[in-house]
Amino acid sequence: MSELISLAGELDAGDALARVRDRFVLDDVVYLDGNSLGALPAGVPARVADVVARQWGELRIRSWEESGWWTAPERIGDRIAPLVGAAAGQVVVGDSTSVNVFKALVAAVRMARGDAEGDSRGAARDEILVDATTFPTDGYLAESAARLTGCTLRPLAPADVPGALGPRTAAVLLNHVDYRTGRLHDLPGLTAAVHAAGGYAVWDLCHSAGALPVGLDEHGVDLAVGCTYKYLNGGPGSPAYLYVRRGLQDRFDSPLPGWNSHAEPFGMRPEYAPAPGAVRGRVGTPDILSMLALEAALEVWDGVGIEAVRAKSLALTDFFLRCVEEYVPEGRVESLTPAAHAERGSQVALRCDDAGDVMKRLVARGVVGDFRAPDVLRFGFTPLYTGFAEVERAARVLGETLG
Ligand SMILES: *Cc1c(COP(=O)(O)O)cnc(C)c1O
């Protein structure tokens, strides 16, 4: 035990990101649930107070222009873009992840159909493949998107996707990191396989953006969505984002073409004409209060590189697994998270028979993770504010709880 405590001290002393923790409001609870709701960045309360009291209270309608409200979805999209490896002009913020999954998937099928029109073989692309282990909302929306577009939905394990691709594949919806096990999927390889089959790849980045490099542009991803309240710390229900690769933007045919996506929104024309660029992904009036809270929250990333975040994330999860092995009685838990770094996100999922009850006891002792039915203890590691001494303490309390 004392050996792991002193090792934690050494790791904290050598941690280049240790000081970023001061940019957050935290206490002595070990908070390992940033993959569900990121902690509050210290600059947010004052910003929100200003948005409410001055921008809304005093400037009122003028704030749409003078406070930059109208262009916030694109501006904040450009702030998120470097974190997911995208050049500017391809990410727009707004709506929930669920809504963006729907937009992206229907638009992907429409693109695939558009390709087939000029195809002499008359190829009818009529299949959507979806990760069967996905966060449920993605599966529900994929089912609806399939029904609306006349496609067949094929749920399967991500490892089985390459073998299932073919001339019928229209779109493939995948998670970069599995929300339950923390498994990191092969985004470059799977995207290339989808492209080789002539389909479109839609990635859900909810559990990877802000925790590890994504490389959307580099890997030629077509469309991507993600939420901002997990590793991006945007606050409860903060708006999600949609990435549409630049080369596809002219062909992005939104199934929710609201007036905010119009080329001339204040022209109030009866005919729809889509705006160019990422703006085309917008729908209706943006939720300014949570959007500007998110903008303030993103300032914690100033001067922070995603590569350093990834290195620390792996060191944190490695150290946690080592401490668990040391402290937790043999056979009480089993890690569902891959040991290989190339397959690991920024969380550790431990299977444990009485997980629901165990997590309640951990929370009562100041170690907050979460329980995922039926038997998973899930611990998320946010490298911006989680330290190694906290990791050691979490594993020690877990060991005592299970001992
Ligand atoms: C958190 C999460 C969501 C959340 O969707 P909302 O629309 O924000 O409720 C969706 N998909 C995945 C994979 C998630 O992890």
Side-chain angles (χ1 to χ4, degrees), residues 96-99 135 137-138 175 179 204 206-207 227 229-230:
S96 62
T97 300
S98 301
V99 171
F135 188 87
T137 201
D138 297 48
N175 290 282
Y179 80 100
D204 184 327
C206 279
H207 284 275
C227 64
Y229 49 78
K230 293 171 183 167

Side-chain angles (χ1 to χ4, degrees), residues 29-393:
V29 166
V30 182
Y31 190 65
L32 301 180
D33 217 353
N35 54 342
S36 233
L37 177 65
L40 172 65
V44 170
R47 179 73 57 82
V48 171
D50 178 64
V51 171
V52 172
R54 188 181 57 83
Q55 297 186 9
W56 179 14
E58 295 172 21
L59 295 176
R60 292 179 284 262
I61 195 81
R62 291 167 55 188
S63 273
W64 283 106
E65 265 198 42
E66 293 174 27
S67 304
W69 288 0
W70 185 261
T71 50
E74 302 86 75
R75 181 178 72 243
I76 302 170
D78 282 345
R79 183 65 192 88
I80 292 172
L83 299 175
V84 291
Q90 302 173 101
V91 178
V92 70
V93 174
D95 310 310
S96 62
T97 300
S98 301
V99 171
N100 283 304
V101 164
F102 177 78
K103 289 184 227 171
L105 211 44
V106 173
V109 173
R110 288 177 175 176
M111 287 177 197
R113 292 269 162 80
D115 294 343
E117 264 167 30
D119 189 329
S120 55
R121 295 162 302 171
R125 293 189 177 268
D126 63 355
E127 283 184 356
I128 296 175
L129 309 190
V130 64
D131 178 351
T133 59
T134 193
F135 188 87
T137 201
D138 297 48
Y140 305 154
L141 287 154
E143 199 277 330
S144 177
R147 213 147 27 95
L148 273 167
T149 55
C151 283
T152 302
L153 184 69
R154 292 182 64 188
L156 28 87
D160 296 332
V161 164
L165 294 165
R168 293 181 61 178
T169 307
V172 184
L173 172 62
L174 292 161
N175 290 282
H176 197 193
V177 172
D178 184 288
Y179 80 100
R180 205 166 156 276
T181 62
R183 177 178 290 276
L184 171 64
H185 293 298
D186 176 13
L187 180 144
L190 287 165
T191 301
V194 172
H195 287 168
Y200 288 82
V202 181
W203 284 92
D204 184 327
L205 310 178
C206 279
H207 284 275
S208 61
L212 51 97
V214 179
L216 291 177
D217 287 352
E218 182 186 350
H219 304 304
V221 167
D222 300 306
L223 299 136
V225 304
C227 64
T228 61
Y229 49 78
K230 293 171 183 167
Y231 294 105
L232 296 177
N233 315 300
S238 58
Y241 56 90
L242 169 69
Y243 164 91
V244 181
R245 174 157 65 82
R246 191 178 311 282
L248 296 177
Q249 287 176 341
D250 286 348
R251 297 176 51 213
F252 180 80
D253 179 5
S254 175
L256 297 172
W259 74 294
N260 274 229
S261 70
H262 197 283
E264 202 194 336
F266 292 96
M268 302 293 169
R269 302 184 188 291
E271 319 81 38
Y272 180 73
V279 177
R280 196 178 282 209
R282 287 175 63 163
V283 182
T285 305
D287 36 8
I288 291 298
L289 298 185
S290 48
M291 188 155 314
L292 299 188
L294 166 64
E295 185 169 38
L298 291 168
E299 288 176 11
V300 300
W301 290 94
D302 290 351
V304 174
I306 196 72
E307 298 289 346
V309 167
R310 174 59 168 164
K312 182 174 172 188
S313 161
L314 288 171
L316 287 166
T317 50
D318 275 345
F319 187 56
F320 182 69
L321 287 166
R322 178 168 167 193
C323 293
V324 165
E325 193 170 305
E326 181 86 12
Y327 294 147
V328 175
E330 181 97 37
R332 269 307 255 122
V333 298
E334 173 206 353
S335 176
L336 301 176
T337 302
H341 283 179
E343 296 175 7
R344 192 194 302 163
S346 198
Q347 73 177 54
V348 171
L350 301 176
R351 211 198 57 70
C352 174
D353 285 336
D354 41 353
D357 183 50
V358 169
M359 187 51 74
K360 279 194 196 120
R361 280 150 60 203
L362 289 180
V363 171
R365 292 192 58 186
V367 174
V368 176
D370 57 21
F371 161 62
R372 284 292 175 263
D375 58 1
V376 175
L377 297 170
R378 198 179 71 156
F379 301 95
F381 298 82
T382 302
L384 297 185
Y385 54 73
T386 303
F388 292 90
E390 292 184 290
V391 166
E392 187 276 338
R393 195 178 122 207

